[in-house]
Amino acid sequence: MAAPPQGVSGRRRRVVVVLGYSDGGRGVLHPVCAARLARAAEISTDEDVVVLSGWARVAGTPSEAELMARAWSGRAAALVVDPVARTTVGNAANALDDVRRVDAREVVVVTSHWHAPRARAAFRRVLRASGARVTSAHPAGPRNLRAALRELLLWALLPAQLAGRRR
């Protein structure tokens, strides 16, 4: 097993994965992403490994993960920045190394309520062999019908994304 992130002992920990949300390449933290980050800060502890995950849609601008790292105000045993994940399956695949490294017993995926069911499904599938339990948390907020409808369409892509990851 690889060494745990700096400052993290080898005992089983919880990993909190915060999924980014694009600002459209303007280089600012989108309000949806800021709400996810705030929720993660509320639930994280000094024992958790917190993974901030999300890419930069526009070259030369900070990634969602980097923007979240700059704004992070929560507690964590370690903060991991994943600036390359482009999809929910990519978020899960990249978090798998951190889950294994710290022998995590639980992974909490922090995202929006409309995205949580698909995110949990993707993480459960990708992390299945790790033995970690996958749960989710989301910020309070109004329902977003447009986002919920988009999610329905994205469910159809999930099997192909999972199959593509195994290649």
Side-chain angles (χ1 to χ4, degrees):
M1 182 164 85
Q6 190 173 13
V8 177
S9 71
R11 74 176 187 270
R12 291 177 67 87
R13 295 194 180 271
R14 181 172 77 158
V15 174
V16 177
V17 182
V18 188
L19 303 185
Y21 190 90
S22 177
D23 70 344
R26 294 186 310 268
V28 296
L29 198 60
H30 190 283
V32 169
C33 194
R36 292 174 181 182
L37 189 65
R39 180 67 178 132
E42 289 172 3
I43 66 169
S44 65
T45 71
D46 293 331
E47 298 293 316
D48 295 331
V49 173
V50 176
V51 178
L52 308 173
S53 187
W55 65 305
R57 289 188 180 271
V58 177
T61 64
S63 69
E64 298 157 14
E66 292 163 333
L67 292 170
M68 287 190 285
R70 292 177 190 166
W72 178 250
S73 63
R75 300 174 308 198
L79 194 62
V80 177
V81 176
D82 168 20
V84 298
R86 294 175 163 226
T87 66
T88 304
V89 171
N91 297 128
N94 292 354
L96 180 59
D97 288 337
D98 299 304
V99 169
R100 287 179 174 157
R101 188 173 20 257
V102 300
D103 192 25
R105 69 190 184 291
E106 180 182 9
V107 176
V108 180
V109 182
V110 182
T111 188
S112 301
H113 62 88
W114 39 264
H115 181 239
R118 186 169 60 88
R120 279 192 311 271
F123 272 74
R124 285 179 179 145
R125 180 70 173 99
V126 171
L127 302 178
R128 182 176 58 191
S130 74
R133 188 175 118 225
V134 176
T135 61
S136 63
H138 57 79
R143 299 286 180 200
N144 184 330
L145 181 59
R146 184 172 160 205
L149 291 174
R150 180 178 176 269
E151 277 300 303
L152 285 176
L153 296 173
L154 291 172
W155 268 102
L157 297 176
L158 187 57
Q161 289 175 338
L162 289 165
R165 181 194 159 271
R166 288 189 293 270
R167 285 186 202 133

